[in-house]
């Protein structure tokens, strides 16, 4: 009797960060499916988009020659799917391809003088055209991708391709990336929070997360005598923004911790000490770090834009120029997030909630190719 278990090849040219966490969660949750991973380390993302496809194609051809059989391919956007499928088809390998969009290059901040950015938006576009199915981690991600394509297509006034936007929408869906909150839940509610409110920064130390706005606001609140403590977490890089060095000095009296915490259990315990988690991001396609902090008991304070409009009710979002007032009010009130509210905000994005959506998405991909 033929097994009903399906075998999917996951190819990830940028195996790190949220991409890695997503794949690990998918494998853990979808135990009724078989997965084979083909990955490259998370570095030099531009080079990955340019050159990962030929390398991946060679590996896949080798798999097939060695007897592997797959029901489909799942990949992220850090690969040129058009090139990949062409190289595979040339060897008679016809597999359906699904792309999961953690981000899209149309909405990613870039320097205006960087003309190379158009190369990567084009790869996103042609990859989506050549894929059988698309999934986005938020409606914000999907809508900015499609609106970016509309603008892109206007550049060719003598070529009418606007119908392609609708074609891409029709083969797309939105599914949260899935989060495993069990390590946070396992810690219980025993962590004792300090008497003063604790503000949390747990984002990457990069310019697109807009740390200047965050720390500048805290500088002002500190100078005005606001009583708060501070946890600065998040992944650090060799060329982190200068504002972090300034913050370490100017906010020294408030600091409980300053620096990346690689151990996840220790990191979650630190989040449990927090009272308020703040985002000042210039772009955010989902918002895993904020959801982790909320699950640990922090009150979120996020911009009234980006993917945050889908994650949190208006009471937790601030409009432009409101950050200082809203954060100051939360510090003054020093209120705790209830466990009931915390779970209500986060559970809809857990693997236990969204896992079935991935089963349906991947199963539909297989049926579409073989119908």
């Amino acid at each position: 009797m033929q097994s009903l278990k399906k075998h999917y090849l996951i190819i990830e040219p940028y195996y790190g960060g949220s991409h890695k966490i997503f794949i690990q969660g998918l494998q853990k949750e979808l135990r009724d499916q078989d997965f084979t991973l083909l990955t490259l380390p998370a570095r030099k993302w531009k080079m990955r988009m340019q050159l990962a496809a030929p390398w991946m194609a060679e590996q896949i051809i080798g798999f097939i020659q060695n007897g592997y059989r797959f029901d489909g391919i799942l990949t992220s956007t850090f690969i040129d799917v058009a090139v990949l499928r062409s190289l595979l088809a040339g060897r008679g390998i016809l597999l359906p391809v699904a792309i999961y969009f953690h981000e899209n290059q149309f909405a990613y901040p870039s320097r205006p003088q960087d003309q190379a950015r158009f190369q990567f938006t084009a790869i996103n576009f042609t990859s989506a055209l050549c894929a059988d199915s698309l999934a986005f981690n938020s409606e914000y991600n999907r809508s900015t991708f499609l609106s970016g394509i509309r603008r892109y297509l206007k550049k060719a006034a003598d070529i009418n391709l606007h119908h392609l936007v609708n074609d891409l929408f029709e083969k797309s869906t939105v599914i949260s990336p899935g989060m495993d909150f069990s390590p946070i839940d396992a810690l219980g509610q025993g962590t004792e929070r300090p008497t003063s409110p604790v503000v949390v920064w747990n984002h990457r130390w990069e310019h697109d997360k807009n740390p200047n706005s965050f720390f500048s606001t805290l500088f002002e609140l500190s100078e005005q005598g606001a009583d708060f403590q501070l946890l600065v977490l998040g992944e650090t890089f060799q060329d982190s923004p200068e504002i972090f060095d300034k913050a370490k000095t100017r906010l020294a009296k408030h600091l409980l911790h300053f620096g990346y915490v690689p151990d996840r259990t220790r990191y979650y315990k630190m989040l449990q000490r927090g009272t308020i988690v703040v985002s000042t991001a210039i772009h955010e396609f989902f918002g895993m770090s904020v959801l982790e902090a909320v699950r640990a008991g922090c009150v979120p304070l996020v911009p009234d834009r980006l993917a945050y409009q889908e994650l949190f009710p208006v009471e937790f979002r601030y409009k432009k120029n409101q950050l200082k007032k809203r954060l100051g009010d939360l510090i003054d009130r020093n209120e705790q997030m209830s466990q009931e509210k915390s779970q209500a905000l986060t559970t809809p994005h857990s693997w236990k909630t969204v896992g079935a959506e991935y089963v349906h998405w991947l199963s539909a991909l297989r049926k579409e190719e073989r119908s």
Side-chain angles (χ1 to χ4, degrees):
M1 187 179 200
Q2 186 176 8
S3 173
L4 295 178
K5 182 177 283 192
K6 306 307 171 189
H7 188 189
Y8 298 101
L9 175 63
I10 299 178
I11 57 177
E12 178 50 75
Y14 199 83
Y15 192 58
S18 60
H19 290 220
K20 182 176 182 179
I21 293 171
F22 167 73
I23 290 172
Q24 291 175 335
L26 185 72
Q27 291 178 282
K28 182 179 179 181
E29 183 62 28
L30 274 63
R31 293 195 177 114
D32 291 336
Q33 317 296 323
D34 280 335
F35 297 99
T36 293
L37 265 63
L38 180 56
T39 67
L40 287 167
R43 58 175 181 262
K44 298 183 178 180
W45 68 267
K46 292 182 179 180
M47 190 64 70
R48 295 296 190 237
M49 290 186 73
Q50 294 166 325
L51 294 179
W55 186 86
M56 291 287 186
E58 289 184 355
Q59 310 312 305
I60 296 169
I61 291 167
F63 282 153
I64 300 298
Q65 290 175 341
N66 287 323
Y68 281 75
R69 294 294 179 264
F70 303 107
D71 290 283
I73 295 173
L74 172 62
T75 185
S76 71
T77 56
F78 285 149
I79 192 168
D80 192 329
V81 172
V83 172
L84 178 72
R85 296 198 80 164
S86 296
L87 292 172
L88 293 179
R91 300 296 293 269
I93 301 171
L94 303 175
L95 290 170
V97 176
I99 303 176
Y100 190 79
F101 280 72
H102 296 271
E103 61 279 305
N104 77 80
Q105 296 303 315
F106 286 100
Y108 214 95
S110 60
R111 296 180 178 88
Q113 67 273 22
D114 182 11
Q115 295 301 310
R117 72 187 187 277
F118 295 116
Q119 174 186 173
F120 304 108
T121 55
I123 290 174
N124 268 185
F125 171 52
T126 54
S127 291
L129 284 180
C130 293
D132 296 278
S133 188
L134 316 172
F136 294 80
N137 58 0
S138 66
E139 183 57 48
Y140 167 77
N141 192 355
R142 178 166 69 172
S143 63
T144 55
F145 178 64
L146 295 177
S147 62
I149 291 173
R150 290 189 187 95
R151 293 192 302 271
Y152 177 55
L153 294 179
K154 287 180 180 179
K155 296 179 181 295
D158 58 341
I159 302 176
N160 185 5
L161 295 173
H162 295 286
H163 60 281
L164 295 178
V165 178
N166 187 63
D167 292 346
L168 293 177
F169 177 81
E170 290 298 324
K171 66 177 178 182
S172 71
T173 188
V174 175
I175 315 176
S176 295
M179 299 188 65
D180 180 10
F181 296 115
S182 60
I184 299 175
D185 297 342
L187 296 176
Q189 300 296 310
T191 301
E192 183 177 347
R193 287 183 170 85
T195 55
S196 299
V198 178
V199 180
V200 174
W201 168 280
N202 62 335
H203 315 282
R204 286 182 285 106
W205 292 25
E206 291 187 310
H207 291 287
D208 65 288
K209 298 304 180 183
N210 197 13
N212 285 56
S213 178
F214 173 74
F215 287 118
S216 295
T217 300
L218 290 185
F219 293 162
E220 293 183 30
L221 290 172
S222 177
E223 290 169 359
Q224 293 172 7
D227 180 20
F228 66 90
Q229 293 179 289
L230 178 62
L231 286 169
V232 180
L233 311 169
E235 189 174 2
T236 58
F237 301 89
Q238 185 174 356
D239 297 321
S240 296
E242 294 179 0
I243 190 68
F244 284 94
D245 289 334
K246 296 178 181 178
K248 189 173 184 179
T249 299
R250 293 185 61 176
L251 298 173
K253 67 179 181 180
H254 300 279
L255 288 177
L256 292 175
H257 179 84
F258 192 93
Y260 179 51
V261 180
D263 181 81
R264 298 302 287 181
T265 299
R266 183 167 173 247
Y267 166 70
Y268 294 141
K269 286 181 178 180
M270 286 198 171
L271 289 184
Q272 283 192 324
R273 300 178 69 185
T275 308
I276 308 159
V277 59
V278 180
S279 171
T280 49
I282 297 172
H283 93 274
E284 189 66 79
F285 294 107
F286 186 67
M288 282 187 169
S289 61
V290 176
L291 284 170
E292 287 177 336
V294 171
R295 188 72 172 201
C298 296
V299 175
L301 183 61
V302 297
D304 188 20
R305 50 189 175 79
L306 312 173
Y308 291 126
Q309 293 182 327
E310 302 165 55
L311 294 183
F312 301 111
V314 67
E315 64 188 280
F316 300 112
R317 308 196 306 256
Y318 64 87
K319 295 187 181 298
K320 187 177 181 179
N321 300 324
Q322 284 189 338
L323 175 60
K324 180 183 172 183
K325 182 181 185 309
R326 292 290 303 277
L327 181 55
D329 289 344
L330 285 175
I331 290 172
D332 289 342
R333 292 204 303 268
N334 193 19
E335 296 176 352
Q336 300 292 321
M337 170 73 77
S338 71
Q339 186 176 9
E340 181 181 13
K341 186 69 172 178
S342 168
Q343 292 185 351
L345 290 171
T346 56
T347 298
H349 309 289
S350 70
W351 275 113
K352 298 301 180 186
T353 302
V354 304
E357 296 182 56
Y358 283 96
V359 173
H360 175 75
W361 180 48
L362 293 174
S363 297
L365 170 73
R366 179 188 62 83
K367 291 175 183 177
E368 178 182 339
E369 180 71 8
R370 297 187 176 185
S371 60

